[in-house]
Amino acid sequence: MTASQSSLAEVHLAALYEVSSVLGDSLDYQQTMTSVLKVLHDKAKLRHAMLTLLDDEKESLVIDNLHAPGNVESSQTNNIRYRNGEGVLGTVMRHGQPVVLSKVSNDVRFADKLALYELDKPFIAVPVTKGKSGVLGVLAAQPESSDTHLLADFTRFMEMTANLVARNVELAKGVEAKQDNLQQERDRLRRKVRNNYSLDNMVGHSQAMRRVFEQIRLVSKWDSTVLVRGESGTGKELIANAIHYNSPRATGPFVKLNCAALPDNLLESELFGHEKGAFTGAMKQRKGRFEMADGGTLFLDEVGEISAAFQAKLLRVLQEGEFERVGGTQTLTVDVRIIAATNRNLEEEVRQERFREDLYYRLNVMPIYPAPLRERVEDVPELTSFLVEKIGNQQKRKLTVTDGAIRKMMNYEWPGNVRQLENMLERASIMSESGEIDQDLILLDEFGGDLLTTRGATPQTDLEDPNLNDRERVIAALEQAGWVQAKAARLLNMTPRQIAYRIQTMNIRMRQL
């Protein structure tokens, strides 16, 4: 070994150690590769080190990283590609073997698309390979020395460096692929969720529901606090979802918390988080729901159940957007849109001094009142159709509901509202082997015990009452027959054709059940 070779070996050994240290120091791939090429340029006597990698189609090489200080702008490398077999780099890509030029100008294959390299000096390009993955890319550089006796040493060093780099390249490609898959899955789920909670998919055409839909559409555009007020089972959480997923915050988190489910001490920790050691069992720092919802929406269900002591703490966050974790002193600031829900009469709670008046006004910026099901029974058929399809999909079979079952459900108070309707339909579907839900399976009185009461039936009109005119008599018969023409005809001792004629000539509007 000559003195120059011995000296170069020491330089390369030190540079190789530094390369391995750089590769192990950071998880930032681009930063790591930039540092590796800088080591080659500054410490290993290899100028303008360049790393090219195969594109997604594995048809050409693209410049992944380049160390050319002051010579080339990064924007210049964006569209530069080396096709399979093109130039020295393309040759290395095709054959997977190093190419060593003793003098750049002597080889017609050399394609210096960046005009970086000196024509009277050597050039080395080695493949970056990893196991079954084959050629991942090409590492290239120009030795400072024109001594041909040192080319083998430079090549050996670059091959060792390429082997070290290959693992990082493979890991980076794997991470990038996983990130792309996760992003695509996230976007797909976001589209699915937004579609599920779009206003077009919300069921109900009654005037009460159309008013709610319009309020959702208007309030979704802004960050105003919303208070959803209504009986249990009227869809308060569904409204909160619709507001969030139709708002500019739809890409942010949607965090929910049932305030009635936790005592004050746990509620504070759940909402604001806690520091390590703040209380027994606090083994590590934990973020609260407000931090989790930063940039998105926080849904506080059953907000009327929180104690007076905790109301003051909640009020501060709503007013200032600031809080401290339990056991902490650092003040945290968050950007959160609040949607609250309650089935309590908050005005009465304020009068009884059980709910803070200032918190009430802070929450009640935009109130939305979903109507109970008994006040919009005209939506029962559509709701039933939607829920039966949903239950059928879960049970992987087709379910149907008879007209008699629909009529029976429309003559019921539904104290448990839509939630009760869904539970009752699921129960009926379980009891139906054929998949048909008839009125015998609509067990309203049994579903919920004595708390349930059927809607007050309209007193039957005496069809023989001489004070009734013909039109009133036909309408009374239709009402008693559930608007079934054939049954009404029997009550009036008519044929179906006769009653149909009277309905038409008397301009009687048939009710659709």
Side-chain angles (χ1 to χ4, degrees):
M1 178 182 293
T2 65
S4 58
Q5 288 178 313
S6 177
S7 174
L8 184 62
E10 292 179 2
V11 167
H12 283 171
L13 181 61
L16 198 63
Y17 174 78
E18 192 164 344
V19 166
S20 63
S21 299
V22 167
L23 291 174
D25 280 347
S26 174
L27 296 176
D28 185 332
Y29 166 76
Q30 283 297 333
Q31 178 184 339
T32 298
M33 288 302 109
T34 299
S35 299
V36 166
L37 298 189
K38 187 175 187 302
V39 170
L40 266 59
H41 187 280
D42 295 345
K43 304 293 180 65
K45 299 185 178 182
L46 289 162
R47 295 178 55 79
H48 304 319
M50 177 171 62
L51 176 65
T52 58
L53 298 179
L54 283 176
D55 60 12
D56 293 336
E57 290 77 26
K58 299 186 182 300
E59 294 180 351
S60 58
L61 292 167
V62 295
I63 297 176
D64 179 75
N65 216 308
L66 170 69
H67 187 77
N71 293 61
V72 179
E73 296 291 337
S74 58
S75 59
Q76 293 178 247
T77 67
N78 292 341
N79 298 318
I80 294 179
R81 291 176 176 268
Y82 295 88
R83 294 187 300 275
N84 190 355
E86 180 187 9
V88 173
L89 300 185
T91 302
V92 175
M93 168 188 167
R94 172 175 289 179
H95 300 291
Q97 297 294 327
V99 171
V100 181
L101 306 181
S102 58
K103 190 175 183 181
V104 168
S105 59
N106 291 342
D107 199 307
V108 296
R109 294 174 301 174
F110 190 79
D112 188 3
K113 296 186 178 184
L114 293 173
L116 276 178
Y117 302 102
E118 298 179 34
L119 299 180
D120 60 344
K121 287 189 176 180
F123 182 82
I124 301 173
V126 299
V128 177
T129 58
K130 184 62 180 177
K132 297 180 180 179
S133 302
V135 176
L136 302 175
V138 176
L139 177 65
Q142 186 166 58
E144 288 183 2
S145 172
S146 299
D147 188 347
T148 56
H149 297 94
L150 300 178
L151 288 182
D153 298 311
F154 276 111
T155 304
R156 190 179 307 109
F157 170 78
M158 286 186 62
E159 287 180 315
M160 288 188 288
T161 302
N163 287 336
L164 293 175
V165 166
R167 178 61 178 166
N168 273 56
V169 170
E170 193 173 44
L171 284 174
K173 284 185 171 291
V175 169
E176 183 180 4
K178 288 180 180 178
Q179 287 178 337
D180 287 343
N181 290 337
L182 287 173
Q183 186 171 354
Q184 291 175 12
E185 179 67 10
R186 182 200 65 190
D187 293 342
R188 184 187 69 80
L189 291 173
R190 279 179 176 170
R191 287 193 299 270
K192 181 178 179 181
V193 170
R194 293 192 70 171
N195 181 62
N196 288 343
Y197 292 110
S198 71
L199 296 182
D200 293 337
N201 283 342
M202 296 189 73
V203 180
H205 287 89
S206 62
Q207 184 176 355
M209 287 307 296
R210 287 199 299 269
R211 182 177 65 251
V212 169
F213 296 158
E214 180 64 12
Q215 289 175 324
I216 292 173
R217 186 185 67 81
L218 291 172
V219 80
S220 295
K221 302 175 184 178
W222 317 110
D223 285 344
S224 302
T225 301
V226 178
L227 181 60
V228 188
R229 307 182 61 178
E231 297 178 8
S232 178
T234 52
K236 296 189 290 294
E237 184 173 336
L238 184 66
I239 290 173
N241 276 281
I243 292 172
H244 172 73
Y245 288 109
N246 287 278
S247 74
R249 292 175 177 261
T251 56
F254 181 58
V255 181
K256 309 174 188 178
L257 179 66
N258 188 324
C259 299
L262 298 170
D264 274 6
N265 57 336
L266 293 180
L267 185 60
E268 183 176 4
S269 173
E270 194 67 31
L271 277 175
F272 305 142
H274 62 252
E275 299 290 349
K276 180 179 179 181
F279 50 84
T280 303
M283 305 302 293
K284 60 180 180 179
Q285 184 192 79
R286 182 176 182 275
K287 288 185 177 181
R289 301 295 176 97
F290 271 102
E291 283 184 84
M292 294 178 188
D294 192 21
T297 303
L298 176 61
F299 175 53
L300 300 176
D301 198 8
E302 304 294 352
V303 73
E305 306 296 327
I306 61 177
S307 69
F310 191 76
Q311 289 171 25
K313 298 177 182 179
L314 179 60
L315 179 63
R316 181 198 171 199
V317 185
L318 298 183
Q319 287 179 332
E320 309 296 337
E322 297 178 348
F323 65 94
E324 291 84 30
R325 297 193 190 104
V326 176
T329 57
Q330 181 183 1
T331 299
L332 304 175
T333 303
V334 290
D335 173 24
V336 175
R337 197 247 182 97
I338 299 294
I339 302 176
T342 183
N343 57 9
R344 284 181 174 266
N345 185 336
L346 291 187
E347 290 80 8
E348 182 60 29
E349 295 290 309
V350 170
R351 282 192 290 270
Q352 298 292 331
E353 298 185 352
R354 291 193 294 265
F355 199 86
R356 292 179 63 108
E357 185 175 4
D358 46 4
L359 179 58
Y360 165 77
Y361 287 119
R362 178 62 62 177
L363 290 172
N364 199 39
V365 176
M366 178 63 188
I368 296 179
Y369 295 85
L373 191 52
R374 63 181 174 274
E375 295 180 8
R376 54 184 186 100
V377 289
E378 60 267 42
D379 287 335
V380 168
E382 189 177 359
L383 280 167
T384 299
S385 176
F386 171 80
L387 293 172
V388 163
E389 183 179 358
K390 174 185 173 183
I391 296 168
N393 290 337
Q394 292 171 350
Q395 297 180 356
K396 294 181 173 56
R397 61 171 178 160
K398 182 174 178 58
L399 297 175
T400 59
V401 184
T402 65
D403 291 342
I406 294 288
R407 285 193 294 271
K408 186 174 181 180
M409 287 187 286
M410 290 185 71
N411 287 311
Y412 186 66
E413 290 282 359
W414 297 110
N417 295 296
V418 180
R419 185 181 296 122
Q420 180 190 358
L421 174 63
E422 181 175 7
N423 291 343
M424 186 277 300
L425 287 171
E426 184 170 359
R427 176 184 178 182
S429 70
I430 292 170
M431 296 168 62
S432 173
E433 292 187 2
S434 66
E436 181 182 80
I437 299 174
D438 59 27
Q439 57 186 346
D440 293 333
L441 294 177
I442 308 299
L443 305 177
L444 299 174
D445 292 332
E446 295 181 16
F447 194 83
D450 297 336
L451 293 178
L452 303 184
T453 57
T454 53
R455 291 174 62 87
T458 303
Q460 292 194 358
T461 303
D462 182 4
L463 300 180
E464 301 298 328
D465 187 344
N467 294 320
L468 293 178
N469 60 36
D470 286 344
R471 189 174 191 277
E472 291 171 338
R473 187 173 286 106
V474 171
I475 292 175
L478 286 167
E479 288 179 343
Q480 291 183 28
W483 294 86
V484 178
Q485 291 186 32
K487 186 175 179 180
R490 288 194 296 271
L491 292 175
L492 295 172
N493 295 317
M494 294 180 182
T495 64
R497 179 175 293 181
Q498 287 174 325
I499 197 168
Y501 176 76
R502 282 169 172 75
I503 290 170
Q504 182 179 359
T505 57
M506 294 175 180
N507 196 27
I508 296 174
R509 185 177 178 181
M510 292 294 293
R511 183 180 301 173
Q512 299 295 322
L513 297 181

